[in-house]
Amino acid sequence: ANIARYAEQFGKPITEIPTCVSLARYPLRSIPESPSQKTVLGWIGTTSNLRYLEHCATALRRLARERDFQLLIVAPQREALDAIDLTGVSIRFEQWSPKTEIQHLQQMDIGLMPLADDQEWTKYKAATKLVQYLASGIAAVASPVGVNAEILKGNQAGLAAVTQEDWFECLRLLIDDPALRRRLAQTGRSLVESRYCIEANLSLLESVLCGPAK
């Protein structure tokens, strides 16, 4: 939406196609009715974006003193993670690979997408990891920055968190309420199926590239 508004100033026709994933590549994870293992909070992304975890680090440290959970980080390298104070948080790092990406996503119960809200760059970032979480049936908490705000509108497909207190409250709520996680996961998957998947946008892309069907 922000990119579309920016492009409007040039006076050319605009067709907005959102960040998409393939439903065939992202199977809906199986969510047990009565989870027996500790909750897994997850983050997946590029090494350069690991720094944004600082925006929920205080909440994670506080949460680790009150709840038993594991933080699964999936990224190409972990050096940037070592610069963030996550004292007391049980961290499991997995090196990102296209061969294991889906496998690691399937192990997450709650997906994290923190972002800075005072940077011009983040207003135009794609919501790739948030869409990945929702497509996989993972309840998500994210900063309502850029397109994230549109996806999270009304807290129906995921929970929006701005402050460290927001992050703490949202994550504690989801850890304590598996039923809410399931509802968010179902709504999130439905949203991806209707709006944020290749299958739902392919005909629109074809019409842009080839013109309307005759």
Side-chain angles (χ1 to χ4, degrees):
N2 284 336
I3 294 177
R5 284 192 288 271
Y6 174 82
E8 286 174 352
Q9 65 182 302
F10 301 105
K12 300 293 184 180
I14 297 171
T15 300
E16 186 177 349
I17 299 176
T19 297
C20 296
V21 297
S22 169
L23 291 176
R25 187 168 184 269
Y26 288 83
L28 189 63
R29 66 190 290 266
S30 176
I31 306 174
E33 289 293 327
S34 301
S36 58
Q37 299 178 339
K38 69 171 60 177
T39 306
V40 177
L41 278 56
W43 184 97
I44 189 169
T46 63
T47 303
S48 62
N49 284 334
L50 269 169
R51 68 186 186 274
Y52 292 122
L53 279 170
E54 186 65 51
H55 294 274
C56 62
T58 299
L60 290 169
R61 294 195 304 269
R62 179 183 171 191
L63 192 65
R65 295 193 293 269
E66 300 188 17
R67 299 291 188 274
D68 186 21
F69 68 89
Q70 181 184 72
L71 177 61
L72 171 59
I73 303 294
V74 184
Q77 290 96 29
R78 67 164 296 149
E79 285 75 15
L81 178 62
D82 296 333
I84 301 171
D85 183 4
L86 291 169
T87 304
V89 178
S90 174
I91 299 173
R92 173 184 156 208
F93 177 84
E94 295 287 351
Q95 188 172 42
W96 180 87
S97 164
K99 295 180 180 180
T100 57
E101 177 183 48
I102 304 301
Q103 172 189 331
H104 289 139
L105 278 167
Q106 294 277 320
Q107 296 168 12
M108 299 177 185
D109 297 301
I110 303 169
L112 313 180
M113 189 177 177
L115 285 175
D117 61 2
D118 59 352
Q119 299 176 4
E120 191 71 12
W121 161 247
T122 58
K123 297 176 183 178
Y124 299 97
K125 277 180 61 62
T128 304
K129 63 172 59 63
L130 180 55
V131 173
Q132 287 180 299
Y133 299 147
L134 302 186
S136 303
I138 301 167
V141 182
S143 300
V145 177
V147 71
N148 281 10
E150 178 182 333
I151 295 173
L152 297 170
K153 186 176 181 180
N155 286 336
Q156 297 300 307
L159 302 183
V162 178
T163 66
Q164 295 280 355
E165 182 68 23
D166 292 340
W167 277 97
F168 174 77
E169 294 293 344
C170 288
L171 292 174
R172 184 175 62 175
L173 174 63
L174 290 179
I175 288 175
D176 292 347
D177 194 342
L180 175 59
R181 297 206 302 265
R182 287 193 295 273
R183 290 197 298 273
L184 289 173
Q186 292 166 355
T187 302
R189 172 69 180 199
S190 295
L191 178 62
V192 172
E193 290 174 349
S194 63
R195 171 70 174 152
Y196 296 98
C197 67
I198 292 173
E199 292 84 346
N201 287 278
L202 184 57
S203 60
L204 179 58
L205 177 60
E206 287 178 339
S207 69
V208 172
L209 298 178
C210 305
K214 296 181 180 179

